[in-house]
Amino acid sequence: MTASATLLEIRGAAKSFGGVQALDGVDLHLGTGEVLGVIGPNGSGKTTLFNLLTGVVRASGGTARLAGANLLDLKPWEISALGVARTFQNIRLALGQSVLQNVLVGAYRQNRTSWWQVLLAPHTVAVRETQAVEKAMEALRFVAPALAAAPDRIVGELPYADRRRIELARAVVGNPRILLIDEPAAGMNPHETAEIADDILRIAARGMSILVIEHKMKFIATVAPRIAVLNFGRKIAEGSYEQIRTDPHVLASYLGRKGDHLAASGDR
């Protein structure tokens, strides 16, 4: 396979919370149209990395270059405008609103309407609203066709796996350059896990660059040709699934003594 051009270049990413070094000089790169998996035990710095890349927390050091800009110096809305979207480990949806209303939140990121436009150009605002609905429905039909058939359903009445799909649709509606997905298969049974893996592969097939965190090894091996392993805030290994499952640093620091632990953990 021909290596893709680097889209995101992370160098020396660091974050300390008081005396705790959550990230300690992490280097990563993400190619155009690539899916990169990030794994590691709880507390290894995975979600902290996502929080730095989206401006939720400020970095203590390092750079993350995208389109000539250092994401670690930018505000969340500036990072979003550059084409970075994410999902969360704990689903963040408005449970009392409809499927469509939740996905529209992602569409509104590109629909900047000022108060004076509402007053003085209502027709323009109405056109933009129609376009936003069309984009949201297109994202739903792509990620979750069954949900697109019933966009008025209340999210709080839907099963957990469908809520994950709604969050994915909300993230991709703006066609971001980079999609950060935090533990998409958490809490799912093996059948649901396989389905969400198919959803992510379908998104990746459109050429979207994806960084995905997950604990389920069978899942991460399915969606990510390349995997980075974090432990205590540092990257300890990087490579294919077969490479990292036999890496001595991974075996000692993350997987335990038996090399088959990685494969055995796939259905957890």
Side-chain angles (χ1 to χ4, degrees):
M1 180 182 295
T2 303
S4 58
T6 297
L7 178 64
L8 175 67
E9 185 82 20
I10 302 169
R11 287 284 176 256
K15 178 61 183 177
S16 59
F17 296 96
V20 178
Q21 194 71 33
L23 281 179
D24 188 5
V26 171
D27 295 343
L28 288 173
H29 69 277
L30 178 67
T32 301
E34 181 185 22
V35 181
L36 172 63
V38 181
I39 68 171
N42 290 331
S44 61
K46 304 184 301 298
T47 296
T48 297
L49 175 64
F50 274 23
N51 287 340
L52 294 189
L53 295 176
T54 52
V56 175
V57 298
R58 302 294 291 176
S60 303
T63 60
R65 297 285 177 186
L66 172 66
N70 179 14
L71 300 183
L72 305 189
D73 288 340
L74 302 180
K75 304 294 185 184
W77 54 90
E78 295 171 326
I79 295 170
S80 177
L82 280 176
V84 179
R86 75 175 293 181
T87 69
F88 293 87
Q89 183 177 354
N90 298 314
I91 298 176
R92 300 186 182 183
L93 297 173
L95 300 183
Q97 293 188 330
S98 71
V99 171
L100 178 58
Q101 286 172 323
N102 273 272
V103 179
L104 272 170
V105 171
Y108 288 148
R109 181 179 67 84
Q110 297 179 324
N111 187 7
R112 298 177 176 86
T113 301
S114 63
W115 64 267
W116 63 265
Q117 289 175 315
V118 175
L119 294 175
L120 302 179
H123 175 69
T124 299
V125 174
V127 170
R128 288 181 179 178
E129 177 69 17
T130 298
Q131 292 172 340
V133 171
E134 290 174 352
K135 287 182 179 180
M137 288 302 301
E138 179 183 0
L140 271 172
R141 284 190 290 267
F142 174 58
V143 176
L147 293 174
D152 294 328
R153 291 191 64 183
I154 300 302
V155 170
E157 300 173 354
L158 296 173
Y160 181 81
D162 281 341
R163 297 182 193 183
R164 281 288 183 196
R165 290 187 179 91
I166 294 167
E167 194 176 40
L168 275 175
R170 183 181 63 187
V172 305
V173 68
N175 193 29
R177 292 178 178 180
I178 297 175
L179 177 58
L180 311 179
I181 308 177
D182 198 347
E183 295 199 29
M188 294 187 182
N189 62 40
H191 177 72
E192 292 169 334
T193 297
E195 288 185 336
I196 206 74
D198 288 342
D199 294 338
I200 291 172
L201 289 172
R202 193 165 60 254
I203 294 170
R206 280 195 169 184
M208 193 173 295
S209 301
I210 298 174
L211 263 174
V212 56
I213 293 171
E214 186 52 66
H215 282 293
K216 295 180 178 181
M217 296 298 102
K218 185 176 179 181
F219 173 92
I220 209 74
T222 299
V223 301
R226 186 164 59 92
I227 302 167
V229 186
L230 301 184
N231 192 41
F232 292 112
R234 296 183 177 183
K235 185 179 75 175
I236 61 171
E238 184 177 333
S240 67
Y241 172 75
E242 290 302 323
Q243 288 172 323
I244 65 107
R245 74 184 294 268
T246 57
D247 185 282
H249 299 292
V250 178
L251 295 177
S253 301
Y254 178 38
L255 302 178
R257 293 187 298 274
K258 294 184 178 180
D260 62 353
H261 177 90
L262 185 56
S265 66
D267 295 328
R268 290 192 306 178

